[in-house]
């Protein structure tokens, strides 16, 4: 009773559509953000604004995130090989994790510079700062709108890039508020305060992405799947007496994988039970790739080490 494999193809057309949309969205956003980032860095130095420079730093991480995400999707298209049987799909999750870590590192730098400026607030050219941050806000709104055409709800990579842009948008709002406070009230401390608010927002979004990608890299059970429910549903199939050695994990965003042992009674037909189990897994739980070992109850589990759970 060897291992049987099933690759469901029903959702592939839909998946391919999302795939090309994701690529287009990431590339367009990358070009837009990269161009404005250069403007914001120059503007930050010219106006002596930390809020602008921190926003530019975030935009740099945005550009890197978008570029890395785009590269990850391109790499994920590469065919599977003998040494990499799943191809390069997992690189997408590694890219998302690196994006999240980059956000956290940038936030720490902003915190240190903001503390220095609290002690000694420098002169800031508020009008120039205001003008550049308003343009920055518009650029981020356009980039976020572009990324919304991608699969940001299900694809961790697109979501991490989207969170970068949303955090950046909030950074621009903070810079606008700080510029107005400096212009009308000569409140120089508003610049580092805005920077700290941005840094906190960046840390929150960055840590979420790192946590989610780490969970996938550790082959944790996907959040959208209940292991107990999967086990119960499979046990309810005709002639199935037990389920053990059940594992469910994610290869990359939207690619759920599962393996298990199904124990059948003396009336159970191997092929019938296998077909019913794989149909159930695909239709009810969205599991695209399942490897199922079917065992007869009277023979028992052939695992020599008795490590089945």
């Amino acid at each position: 009773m060897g291992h049987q494999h099933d690759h469901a193809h029903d959702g592939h057309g839909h998946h391919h559509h999302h795939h090309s949309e994701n690529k287009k969205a990431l590339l367009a956003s990358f070009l837009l953000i990269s161009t404005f980032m250069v403007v914001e860095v120059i503007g930050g130095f010219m106006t002596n604004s930390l809020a602008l420079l921190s926003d530019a730093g975030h935009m740099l991480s945005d550009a890197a995130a978008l570029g890395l995400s785009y590269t990850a999707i391109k790499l994920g298209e590469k065919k599977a090989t003998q040494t990499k049987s799943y191809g390069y799909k997992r690189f997408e999750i590694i890219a998302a994790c690196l994006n999240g870590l980059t956000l956290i590192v940038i936030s720490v730098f902003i915190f240190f510079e903001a503390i220095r400026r609290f002690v000694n607030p420098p002169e800031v050219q508020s009008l120039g700062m205001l003008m550049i941050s308003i343009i920055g806000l518009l650029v981020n709104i356009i980039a976020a709108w572009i990324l919304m055409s991608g699969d940001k709800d299900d694809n961790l990579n697109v979501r991490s890039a989207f969170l970068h842009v949303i955090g950046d948008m909030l950074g621009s709002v903070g810079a606008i508020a700080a510029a107005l406070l400096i212009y009308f009230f000569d409140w120089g401390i508003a610049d580092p305060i805005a920077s700290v608010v941005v840094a906190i927002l960046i840390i929150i979004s960055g840590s979420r992405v790192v946590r989610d990608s780490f969970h996938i890299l550790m082959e944790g059970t996907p959040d959208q799947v209940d292991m107990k429910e999967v086990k119960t549903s499979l046990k309810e199939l005709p002639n199935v007496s037990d389920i053990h050695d059940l594992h469910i994990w994610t290869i990359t965003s939207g690619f759920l994988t599962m393996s298990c042992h199904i124990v059948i009674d003396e009336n159970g037909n191997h092929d019938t039970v296998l077909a019913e189990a794989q149909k159930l897994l695909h239709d009810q739980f969205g599991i695209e790739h399942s490897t199922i070992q079917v065992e007869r109850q009277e023979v028992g589990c052939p695992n020599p080490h008795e490590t089945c759970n």
Side-chain angles (χ1 to χ4, degrees):
M1 302 293 175
H3 284 65
Q4 298 287 329
H5 296 268
D6 174 60
H7 297 262
H9 295 282
D10 300 356
H12 281 198
H14 182 66
H15 177 74
H16 182 73
H17 169 72
H18 274 317
H19 187 77
S20 58
E21 287 296 317
N22 289 343
K23 268 203 304 186
K24 280 185 209 164
L26 287 166
L27 185 60
S29 306
F30 170 71
L31 295 170
L32 184 69
I33 297 277
S34 301
T35 306
F36 186 73
M37 177 198 68
V38 178
V39 175
E40 201 166 37
V41 170
I42 295 164
F45 280 113
M46 283 173 67
T47 59
N48 198 23
S49 164
L50 176 63
L52 271 190
L53 284 172
S54 67
D55 202 33
H58 193 195
M59 275 206 161
L60 171 65
S61 79
D62 276 358
L66 292 161
L68 200 56
S69 298
Y70 179 74
T71 307
I73 287 182
K74 289 292 284 179
L75 266 175
E77 291 173 349
K78 289 179 79 172
K79 294 269 191 292
T81 64
Q82 290 291 329
T83 54
K84 290 183 177 59
S85 59
Y86 278 115
Y88 290 81
K89 288 182 170 64
R90 186 49 72 87
F91 184 76
E92 190 180 296
I93 305 304
I94 296 168
C97 189
L98 289 172
N99 287 347
L101 290 170
T102 310
L103 283 171
I104 294 165
V105 170
I106 284 170
S107 308
V108 172
F109 279 116
I110 295 168
F111 274 125
F112 280 118
E113 180 60 19
I115 290 164
R116 199 179 65 78
R117 288 195 173 211
F118 273 122
V119 178
N120 187 18
E123 280 291 310
V124 177
Q125 293 174 28
S126 54
L127 275 179
M129 176 183 171
L130 180 64
M131 193 170 69
I132 294 164
S133 33
I134 287 171
I135 298 166
L137 178 62
L138 293 172
V139 167
N140 283 306
I141 288 169
I142 294 165
W145 180 75
I146 291 169
L147 285 170
M148 280 177 81
S149 69
D151 189 19
K152 72 170 181 62
D153 294 323
D154 296 323
N155 187 297
L156 184 61
N157 208 18
V158 175
R159 192 168 96 228
S160 71
F162 182 75
L163 284 172
H164 269 262
V165 174
I166 292 296
D168 215 14
M169 195 190 291
L170 294 166
S172 297
V173 170
I176 291 166
L180 290 170
L181 287 168
I182 294 164
Y183 182 72
F184 287 111
F185 305 106
D186 198 28
W187 200 35
I189 206 165
D191 186 55
I193 287 172
S195 310
V196 167
V197 171
V198 175
I200 291 167
L201 292 167
I202 297 171
I203 277 183
I204 292 167
S205 62
S207 56
R208 277 181 188 155
V209 170
V210 170
R211 183 197 64 204
D212 290 353
S213 50
F214 192 72
H215 182 70
I216 291 174
L217 291 171
M218 289 297 292
E219 300 195 337
T221 307
D223 293 337
Q224 69 268 40
V225 177
D226 184 334
M227 286 273 279
K228 284 181 183 171
E229 196 185 335
V230 172
K231 196 166 186 173
T232 304
S233 299
L234 285 169
K235 280 176 83 169
E236 285 170 358
L237 289 171
N239 305 117
V240 172
S241 56
D242 193 24
I243 306 291
H244 59 264
D245 208 24
L246 174 64
H247 302 278
I248 305 170
W249 67 102
T250 312
I251 298 298
T252 189
S253 298
F255 190 150
L256 300 184
T257 309
M258 193 210 84
S259 69
C260 75
H261 294 194
I262 289 185
V263 181
I264 57 174
D265 59 30
E266 65 275 8
N267 300 317
N269 177 276
H270 176 286
D271 294 338
T272 306
V273 171
L274 185 62
E276 286 173 349
Q278 288 178 328
K279 188 176 188 310
L280 170 88
L281 292 167
H282 177 264
D283 296 353
Q284 197 171 318
F285 300 100
I287 295 170
E288 291 287 339
H289 185 286
S290 54
T291 305
I292 299 171
Q293 180 169 304
V294 181
E295 303 160 359
R296 289 216 166 271
Q297 194 172 342
E298 61 270 23
V299 177
C301 181
N303 191 328
H305 302 295
E306 296 181 0
T307 53
C308 292
N309 56 27

